[in-house]
Amino acid sequence: MFSVTAKDLSSKARAGILQTPHGEIGTPAYIIVGTSAEVRTVTPEDLLSAGTQIVIANAYHLAVREEHEKIRQKGGLHIAMGWNNPLMTDSGGFQVFSLGAGRVYGASKIGFFPTEHNPLMMPEKSMALVGEEGIAFSDRERGSHMVLTPEKSIRIQEALGADIIYALDECTSPFHDYEYTKASLDRTHRWAIQCLEVKSRKDQQLWGIIQGGYFRDLREKSAYFLTRHEFEGIGIGGAMGTSKQHMREIIDWIYPSFPKNKPRHLLGIGNPVDILNAVEQGIDLFDCVIPTREARHGSLWTTCGRINIRNSRFKDDNSKIDEECRCATCQTITRKQLRTMFCDGDLSAGRLATIHNISFFNDLMRKIRKAIQDSKYSEFKAGFILRFREANS
């Protein structure tokens, strides 16, 4: 199902082909986020024209509104989305973080650890409570409540019918100390085995997620455990330390356990420089809301850095968004025109910006694959980062 087609001679970077029932994915690849079974503001045709290979939907957000049953009755997520290409779904485990510590503290996966002045959790503000059997989600404002167990997570994802699904895990935060993270990891491993045992669809790949926070022995333990079970791919999730350097260290710690014939997915990471560093360390897949969420607010990624198109300096700029970009937006509209549309509240501005950002990230991955195939990855990476950082300085 996954084969390596090229390796860079000066790094761990590799290019490959991931086979799914709905088509091949050339790796390294960017997975575009379609949280509620759609990528906001754009159509499936827009996604294809922007070079998208695969989309990920959010199992929790679909299940909490019982949308997964409606989708199952329609024939699955591919039909419901009008997307006859590879799809992935998460397990719902990330919402332990986003609706727990992430909500309480406004924290990201890369942050700081608790001190005596920063208590671990404020339960009254958290919407996620983890227990041995699963996760209880409660939204008092909307009046919704759902308990997600390993079996239920798999059944939801089987109803959705994505090509690639994930085992239920607990996505830990930078606020969790060693003892909590260790207990959480053991529980996540028990859940992973339960997911393997209850999975019934043969046309779906089940992937496991390495957890362990920024604790080397726990990360190594998780990598060793998961890669010795019958998961068809490996994700890397949870808290990634207090700095980008810590994230790189975590990948280095677990690299020796990676099977050579299975794909590796760095979950929730999507900044271009982070991608380039992780590809160099042997990572194959990435996903993040950066391209789509930031586009809707006028933040555009270009080969010369990131720009805020709402900025007044673009009011008389008749150049393309990105002179090197061949997306539909860059071929039809100028910076001045797009800025005017955003300032006027034109709803189509978000669509045009989203098309561009998705194109930028997909094109970056295409260039990465080409550089690996030519064994010039280190040269490509150095040139991109130098230009990118100079443009943003």
Side-chain angles (χ1 to χ4, degrees), residues 13-315:
R14 62 185 194 167
I17 297 293
L18 175 57
Q19 303 275 358
T20 80
H22 287 85
E24 294 181 347
I25 302 163
T27 64
Y30 205 105
I31 306 169
I32 302 301
V33 177
T35 300
S36 298
E38 65 172 351
V39 180
R40 289 177 60 182
T41 76
V42 296
T43 66
E45 292 74 23
D46 291 333
L47 290 172
L48 280 176
S49 67
T52 302
Q53 298 188 83
I54 177 172
V55 174
I56 183 170
N58 188 299
Y60 165 80
H61 285 292
L62 292 171
V64 76
R65 297 192 300 270
E66 298 186 354
E67 291 293 323
H68 65 292
E69 279 301 324
K70 298 176 185 176
I71 289 171
R72 181 185 62 78
Q73 292 170 10
K74 289 180 180 179
L77 202 54
H78 292 89
I79 294 174
M81 293 178 65
W83 176 254
N84 194 35
N85 295 279
L87 277 171
M88 175 184 282
T89 48
D90 62 7
S91 66
F94 177 72
Q95 274 59 53
V96 176
F97 170 78
S98 64
L99 299 178
R103 180 174 184 269
V104 172
Y105 296 103
S108 66
K109 288 172 63 177
I110 300 176
F112 58 90
F113 287 91
T115 69
E116 60 183 353
H117 303 296
N118 293 304
L120 179 63
M121 186 64 74
M122 290 187 271
E124 70 277 6
K125 293 187 178 181
S126 175
M127 293 167 54
L129 181 63
V130 180
E132 177 58 33
E133 301 303 317
I135 310 157
F137 295 101
S138 181
D139 186 340
R140 298 182 184 89
E141 295 177 2
R142 297 182 180 179
S144 63
H145 180 79
M146 181 177 73
V147 176
L148 194 60
T149 65
E151 180 176 2
K152 185 171 183 180
S153 176
I154 294 298
R155 296 293 173 245
I156 289 167
Q157 293 181 84
E158 288 185 329
L160 293 171
D163 302 277
I164 300 167
I165 66 176
Y166 264 111
L168 184 65
D169 65 321
E170 178 183 356
C171 181
T172 55
S173 86
F175 296 92
H176 290 123
D177 61 15
Y178 181 88
E179 290 305 319
Y180 183 92
T181 305
K182 182 177 183 299
S184 168
L185 181 65
D186 291 340
R187 180 167 53 237
T188 285
H189 288 172
R190 289 192 290 272
W191 289 354
I193 298 305
Q194 292 176 44
C195 288
L196 281 171
E197 292 173 347
V198 302
K199 177 181 178 289
S200 60
R201 289 187 60 158
K202 304 298 184 184
D203 59 342
Q204 291 180 306
Q205 298 181 32
L206 177 59
W207 293 17
I209 301 180
I210 296 170
Q211 290 287 351
Y214 185 61
F215 302 106
R216 180 167 186 165
D217 64 320
L218 298 184
R219 284 287 182 177
E220 291 176 338
K221 175 182 178 181
S222 187
Y224 182 87
F225 178 88
L226 289 174
T227 55
R228 278 153 183 78
H229 287 84
E230 295 303 313
F231 293 103
E232 294 167 273
I234 300 298
I236 305 162
M240 303 299 289
T242 62
S243 68
K244 297 298 181 71
Q245 178 58 33
H246 283 175
M247 181 169 67
R248 298 196 69 183
E249 290 173 359
I250 288 171
I251 298 172
D252 280 340
W253 295 341
I254 59 182
Y255 180 84
S257 292
F258 285 146
K260 292 181 174 61
N261 62 342
K262 293 184 180 181
R264 310 150 185 171
H265 176 193
L266 186 56
L267 288 147
I269 301 297
N271 177 283
V273 175
D274 294 337
I275 289 171
L276 289 162
N277 287 330
V279 165
E280 187 175 55
Q281 295 178 277
I283 302 301
D284 305 303
L285 293 159
F286 305 85
D287 76 282
C288 193
V289 296
I290 281 177
T292 51
R293 179 178 292 171
E294 293 193 357
R296 296 194 297 272
H297 297 284
S299 184
L300 304 180
W301 294 81
T302 78
T303 50
C304 292
R306 183 169 58 170
I307 62 173
N308 184 346
I309 200 65
R310 296 174 182 267
N311 194 296
S312 60
R313 69 189 177 97
F314 299 116
K315 66 178 181 179

Side-chain angles (χ1 to χ4, degrees), residues 258-375:
F258 285 146
K260 292 181 174 61
N261 62 342
K262 293 184 180 181
R264 310 150 185 171
H265 176 193
L266 186 56
L267 288 147
I269 301 297
N271 177 283
V273 175
D274 294 337
I275 289 171
L276 289 162
N277 287 330
V279 165
E280 187 175 55
Q281 295 178 277
I283 302 301
D284 305 303
L285 293 159
F286 305 85
D287 76 282
C288 193
V289 296
I290 281 177
T292 51
R293 179 178 292 171
E294 293 193 357
R296 296 194 297 272
H297 297 284
S299 184
L300 304 180
W301 294 81
T302 78
T303 50
C304 292
R306 183 169 58 170
I307 62 173
N308 184 346
I309 200 65
R310 296 174 182 267
N311 194 296
S312 60
R313 69 189 177 97
F314 299 116
K315 66 178 181 179
D316 296 315
D317 189 343
N318 287 308
S319 63
K320 294 181 179 180
I321 305 299
D322 186 342
E323 291 294 339
E324 297 184 22
C325 183
R326 298 292 176 264
C327 78
T329 300
C330 287
Q331 299 310 302
T332 58
I333 198 168
T334 66
R335 292 180 173 190
K336 174 184 176 179
Q337 290 171 319
L338 187 57
R339 178 185 183 275
T340 299
M341 293 172 70
F342 268 107
C343 292
D344 289 347
D346 189 330
L347 295 180
S348 60
R351 173 177 174 265
L352 292 169
T354 300
I355 289 171
H356 168 75
N357 273 2
I358 291 175
S359 296
F360 169 83
F361 280 91
N362 285 332
D363 193 52
L364 171 62
M365 306 313 292
R366 180 188 62 79
K367 291 174 180 175
I368 287 173
R369 292 193 294 271
K370 178 70 164 53
I372 294 170
Q373 290 160 0
D374 294 342
S375 199

